[in-house]
Amino acid sequence: MTKPVFPLTWDAQPIPSDIQQRIMPQALSPLNNLGSGFFANSFISPSLQRILYVLRDMLFFSIMNQMTPAAIQPIDQDFFRVLNCEAEHQLLSYIYADESPNPLLKLHPIEAVTRVASICFLNHFMIVSPSSSGLGRALTKHLTTAVETCKLSFLQELPKENFGLYTWALFVGAQGSQGQAERAWFVERLAHVAMICVWQSWEQVSKVMANYFFVMTLDGLSWRSVWDEAMTGFVISEADEMECLFERDAPIN
């Protein structure tokens, strides 16, 4: 998570129009909502939003590759391998663009959570780094730190949609730490958020997650298991429950 030692050796290139036509969802497809929660969030800088648009296109490619592999050509695979490296490098390096001595201190907590969770998303879901590997363990640690810095009491002071983004990061963290001690840490916080937001069903939560990087046909089973753990495997103490009820406001749709 440090500044990359070397810059990219190529200039960023837009996705060619012919590839765009092959991977983009139909006009009325619900997949067009992917990432809308990021792009409407005023706490995420334009620099990060530009990278998130690239991640969305990579997700469109991944969906097409899994659902309709015949539509994908070898040139598409080559292009997105390069784009994957480019996106990860930019997620690591964009905060150092202004030569600030402590760029991490300048990030809004919501942006910090989004940046780290996006790096984890790439490595857990696109590149596939096992949760028990050295890289997987390091990513979990960094995401734990970012989430811990963004307190629930702080979120209460922000627009309600930030709970949705925060929850997306918790799902990414829980899925990326499967089989590790930290999974319970993410699941516990998901249970707290569900109480605050008055989420009572998987259908409610999955509808919110669909505005970030979540695809029901690809991620539904694994993310549903995280939700079920949060609802049945974690017992909130009476003191914690009273605190959550005190903080709770109107439901988030």
Side-chain angles (χ1 to χ4, degrees), residues 24-228:
M24 292 299 289
Q26 298 295 318
L28 299 179
S29 171
L31 291 175
N32 286 301
N33 290 328
L34 283 176
S36 60
F38 297 123
F39 308 134
N41 193 304
S42 61
F43 297 115
I44 298 180
S45 69
S47 296
L48 180 54
Q49 288 196 2
R50 282 192 292 271
I51 303 171
L52 292 173
Y53 274 112
V54 174
L55 263 64
R56 187 187 67 169
D57 287 338
M58 291 172 59
L59 191 52
F60 286 153
F61 168 77
S62 180
I63 294 167
M64 183 63 68
N65 192 36
Q66 294 187 51
M67 303 299 290
T68 316
I72 300 299
Q73 299 181 8
I75 191 174
D76 303 342
Q77 300 277 7
D78 294 339
F79 180 85
F80 278 94
R81 273 195 292 270
V82 173
L83 192 63
N84 188 92
C85 295
E86 181 181 308
E88 187 172 26
H89 191 285
Q90 290 177 343
L91 283 169
L92 289 168
S93 63
Y94 83 93
I95 62 173
Y96 300 98
D98 62 358
E99 302 297 331
S100 172
N102 295 299
L104 289 173
L105 297 179
K106 296 176 60 177
L107 289 183
H108 190 281
I110 290 296
E111 172 141 6
V113 167
T114 305
R115 173 178 176 263
V116 177
S118 296
I119 294 171
C120 292
F121 178 82
L122 270 180
N123 281 275
H124 293 317
F125 300 97
M126 307 293 283
I127 302 172
V128 190
S129 299
S131 59
S132 59
S133 67
L135 178 57
R137 300 288 295 141
L139 289 169
T140 295
K141 178 181 178 182
H142 285 295
L143 185 54
T144 300
T145 300
V147 169
E148 203 165 30
T149 301
C150 190
K151 304 293 185 183
L152 287 177
S153 57
F154 174 75
L155 282 176
Q156 285 288 112
E157 301 173 1
L158 303 179
K160 296 296 184 183
E161 58 267 20
N162 287 284
F163 273 106
L165 193 158
Y166 184 87
T167 301
W168 173 78
L170 294 178
F171 273 109
V172 170
Q175 184 64 16
S177 59
Q178 185 161 3
Q180 307 301 310
E182 291 84 359
R183 181 173 172 106
W185 189 91
F186 288 107
V187 169
E188 174 183 339
R189 275 149 187 78
L190 177 58
H192 280 292
V193 172
M195 289 188 64
I196 294 171
C197 298
V198 201
W199 289 332
Q200 299 177 338
S201 70
W202 167 242
E203 288 70 27
Q204 284 179 290
V205 177
S206 61
K207 182 179 179 181
V208 176
M209 292 301 96
N211 295 319
Y212 297 93
F213 293 151
F214 166 75
V215 182
M216 180 66 77
T217 55
L218 303 181
D219 309 313
L221 289 177
S222 58
W223 286 36
R224 174 65 185 267
S225 71
V226 175
W227 171 255
D228 289 342

